Amino acid sequence: MNGTGGTPARSVRGDLHDLALVAAGAIPGALLRWQLEGIGTAEVGRLQGLVAADFVANMVGSLLIGVVLAQASRRKRLILWAAIGFCGSLTTFSSWMLQLALVLRAGQVQAAGLVLLASLCGGLGLVALGYAIGGRWVTSASAKLPPPPGPAKGAPPPTGRRG
């Protein structure tokens, strides 16, 4: 402890390890987003393709964030690598705002409003869905595990908090 409110002292080595985990997730997330934008512009067309690609990337990332959060209770490395690194890079707020600004500049105010509303509602809904899916995976995986060993024969009953 570092003596300031009971928070653990941070180390440079630990910070670099955390940074490496985020970077290891961010690179494939950015590459996937880049590929989606290439597909969007090739298949749909310029601005509409970029907006569609951003929407798809943000929705996929929102679903994955929910799944990761359900899996990652007390698993800091998974949060750093998958949620912050990969999904954070895949679902970039700045790209979303840029695409919305371009749509607004093109005079498509209703389209921008629709994308904004669909992105916010869809993203929140997909995080919740991903969390439910991830929670089921955790539940089914833990159901397949053997039960923890009980106390040894003749051992005194456990003491302390239950739960």
Side-chain angles (χ1 to χ4, degrees):
M1 300 285 177
N2 66 5
T4 57
T7 57
R10 296 189 57 126
S11 71
V12 172
R13 175 177 266 169
D15 288 347
L16 289 175
H17 182 261
D18 291 353
L19 179 61
L21 284 170
V22 171
I27 292 169
L31 290 173
L32 178 56
R33 182 180 196 92
W34 181 41
Q35 290 301 312
L36 287 172
E37 288 181 351
I39 292 168
T41 54
E43 298 298 321
V44 177
R46 299 180 181 234
L47 183 56
Q48 290 81 10
L50 286 175
V51 170
D54 279 346
F55 183 78
V56 168
N58 289 336
M59 295 304 103
V60 168
S62 295
L63 181 69
L64 291 175
I65 285 171
V67 171
V68 168
L69 287 177
Q71 304 293 314
S73 61
R74 298 189 185 118
R75 292 174 67 187
K76 178 183 171 187
R77 288 182 285 180
L78 182 60
I79 293 285
L80 289 170
W81 177 78
I84 295 172
F86 183 82
C87 292
S89 183
L90 176 63
T91 62
T92 61
F93 186 78
S94 58
S95 291
W96 182 42
M97 290 299 107
L98 173 64
Q99 301 313 326
L100 285 174
L102 292 173
V103 170
L104 286 170
R105 192 170 79 185
Q108 300 173 1
V109 176
Q110 287 180 330
L114 181 61
V115 168
L116 180 65
L117 185 62
S119 295
L120 290 174
C121 294
L124 287 172
L126 284 169
V127 167
L129 177 62
Y131 192 83
I133 291 168
R136 284 190 179 163
W137 284 346
V138 169
T139 302
S140 68
S142 61
K144 293 176 185 174
L145 294 175
K153 220 176 200 182
T159 59
R161 263 184 17 165
R162 295 182 69 115

